[in-house]
Amino acid sequence: MGLFTELKDSISRVTDRLFSEQEPKRIGIYGPPNAGKTTLANRIARDWTGDAIGTESHVPHETRRARRKENVEIERNGKTVTIDIVDTPGVTTKVDYEEFTDEMEEDDAIRRSREATEGVAEAMHWLREDVDGVIYVLDSAEDPITQVNTMLIGIIESRDLPVLIFANKIDLDDSSVKRIEDAFPQHKTIPLSAKEGENMDEVYENIAEYFG
Amino acid sequence: MPTATNADDSDPPDSDGVQIDLISGERMDSMATMEKIRMILDGVHDGNIVILEEGLTPDEESRLIEVTMSEISPDEFNGIEIETYPKSETRDSSLLGRLMGSDETEAKLTVIGPANQIETLHKDETLISALVSRD
């Protein structure tokens, strides 16, 4: 390709983006604590922008405030979608600071629990007001029929948002994707391991197809 | 031994028991969203188990979580346990429906209790089994 053609294509891509009527879709990553939401958000962000979003940890509520990575352009099979990834705290109905005292001093545990409660409230508020689509991450090694899972899916469905269910942690021995498919047959379930990077091609194909 | 009482009952619950408030859909219909949430959380703060005949709408459930989060405080209140049957799975022949004489076919049973007192042992599409303790 000649220099002039390359330059023309480059200018064309920039103007297409500048004058595109389609704003980036705000895709919220929701799910229970420790399902691997931040690991997934980081995997997507690193694959397409080179930067991570947040700290990954086995301690519940490591993500205590919603975090956003803007303008992540995902391209698969000729389809391109630009999304803002919103990594949210794990939605739960209870937060007990004593759960953290094995890992940290009591004052830090209390501060973490306070931040976690604010983060969950913020995540629920965003769900009602600010997201265009939802990636719902579940730990496939755990029982999917738990109260917050079922309730949160109902809340998401009531807003008529497009939803993809990601059955994460398929690298674990106890993983059962079928258990999740059976629990939520009305939605497409995609198996993956965000930690190991397994099946990410299918993940990106579905994101481009579903949210594009 | 659990006791079933009316939510309006102003008598203090038996100190050896757990108060269970069974709230009809008809009563909930007449209340605004925040009234429902306040009634539920006031009951849970008192250590009661609240059972809603018709549950809450998704928007109300979302707001219940949000308000619950704002009221959590160390050593005092660490949240709620909430279990709900999906609407389509509930029938008017349910135990609560028979208990309350309801012919409502779209009933959605919801059980809410203090997180430090109610521990769900099992839940499937037809059964919620819970262990309730006094602190």
Side-chain angles (χ1 to χ4, degrees):
Chain A
M1 189 184 288
L3 182 62
F4 179 74
T5 309
E6 272 188 30
L7 184 62
K8 194 174 81 171
D9 284 348
S10 176
I11 290 170
S12 174
R13 282 198 298 273
V14 170
T15 52
D16 282 351
R17 188 174 300 176
L18 279 175
F19 296 106
S20 169
E21 290 181 1
Q22 197 167 15
E23 295 289 322
K25 304 279 179 61
R26 289 159 300 184
I27 306 300
I29 299 181
Y30 281 83
N34 275 352
K37 297 179 297 300
T38 300
T39 306
L40 174 67
N42 283 343
R43 170 76 58 183
I44 297 172
R46 282 198 192 101
D47 282 354
W48 297 95
T49 73
D51 297 324
I53 289 185
T55 307
E56 298 159 25
S57 166
H58 68 284
V59 181
H61 300 293
E62 181 63 41
T63 302
R64 298 184 294 282
R65 306 310 296 252
R67 290 179 292 219
R68 178 184 296 227
K69 184 75 175 175
E70 295 183 332
N71 292 315
V72 178
E73 190 175 289
I74 294 173
E75 188 177 354
R76 269 292 184 278
N77 300 335
K79 289 203 170 191
T80 301
V81 59
T82 304
I83 63 174
D84 294 347
I85 301 169
V86 184
D87 181 27
T88 64
V91 172
T92 180
T93 56
K94 57 185 175 185
V95 177
D96 184 353
Y97 81 94
E98 290 185 351
E99 288 178 20
F100 311 128
T101 51
D102 288 344
E103 310 271 351
M104 61 195 74
E105 296 295 320
E106 184 168 312
D107 286 351
D108 289 335
I110 289 172
R111 187 172 66 250
R112 175 177 282 251
S113 70
R114 284 198 174 119
E115 290 171 354
T117 59
E118 289 170 14
V120 174
E122 186 179 57
M124 296 311 299
H125 190 79
W126 281 38
L127 183 58
R128 287 202 305 273
E129 308 287 339
D130 283 329
V131 296
D132 300 312
V134 171
I135 290 172
Y136 194 74
V137 183
L138 290 168
D139 181 341
S140 63
E142 299 287 337
D143 183 359
I145 303 184
T146 62
Q147 38 94 15
V148 173
N149 290 343
T150 310
M151 186 165 64
L152 194 54
I153 286 283
I155 293 168
I156 292 164
E157 285 175 344
S158 74
R159 291 212 51 227
D160 289 329
L161 294 170
V163 183
L164 280 175
I165 293 187
F166 285 3
N168 194 23
K169 304 191 184 183
I170 58 171
D171 54 301
L172 298 182
D173 290 340
D174 294 338
S175 169
S176 171
V177 176
K178 186 173 184 306
R179 198 164 47 178
I180 292 177
E181 289 171 337
D182 290 346
F184 304 108
Q186 69 274 39
H187 297 293
K188 187 167 188 179
T189 298
I190 298 137
L192 76 151
S193 167
K195 182 182 173 187
E196 303 297 334
E198 288 181 48
N199 208 32
M200 293 307 292
D201 279 341
E202 189 180 350
V203 165
Y204 294 135
E205 281 172 20
N206 277 279
I207 289 176
E209 175 77 29
Y210 219 68
F211 301 124
Chain B
M1 178 81 178
T3 56
T5 66
N6 188 297
D8 279 339
D9 192 346
S10 56
D11 293 336
D14 183 339
S15 59
D16 293 329
V18 175
Q19 177 169 323
I20 299 175
D21 296 331
L22 304 165
I23 301 172
S24 71
E26 184 181 8
R27 175 166 177 162
M28 295 289 277
D29 283 347
S30 64
M31 302 172 85
T33 295
M34 289 312 294
E35 282 181 284
K36 295 178 189 176
I37 290 170
R38 195 64 270 150
M39 180 182 67
I40 292 165
L41 286 179
D42 284 350
V44 171
H45 276 297
D46 289 342
N48 302 344
I49 308 300
V50 180
I51 300 178
L52 307 178
E53 182 190 23
E54 292 183 4
L56 297 168
T57 67
D59 188 66
E60 288 167 345
E61 287 177 339
S62 166
R63 288 173 192 274
L64 175 63
I65 296 174
E66 199 172 336
V67 176
T68 299
M69 289 298 117
S70 72
E71 298 189 0
I72 287 177
S73 64
D75 292 329
E76 289 178 14
F77 176 60
N78 59 17
I80 60 173
E81 284 285 1
I82 177 168
E83 293 286 4
T84 297
Y85 289 125
K87 205 166 207 170
S88 60
E89 299 298 331
T90 311
R91 299 288 183 272
D92 57 355
S93 58
S94 67
L95 177 63
L96 189 69
R98 292 199 301 274
L99 278 173
M100 305 191 86
S102 169
D103 291 330
E104 177 60 64
T105 55
E106 291 199 335
K108 183 176 83 165
L109 187 72
T110 294
V111 181
I112 306 156
N116 65 336
Q117 278 179 242
I118 186 166
E119 179 184 347
T120 301
L121 302 178
H122 176 75
K123 177 191 174 187
D124 63 26
E125 291 179 350
T126 57
L127 173 74
I128 295 172
S129 181
L131 174 67
V132 182
S133 65
R134 295 288 296 175
D135 296 316

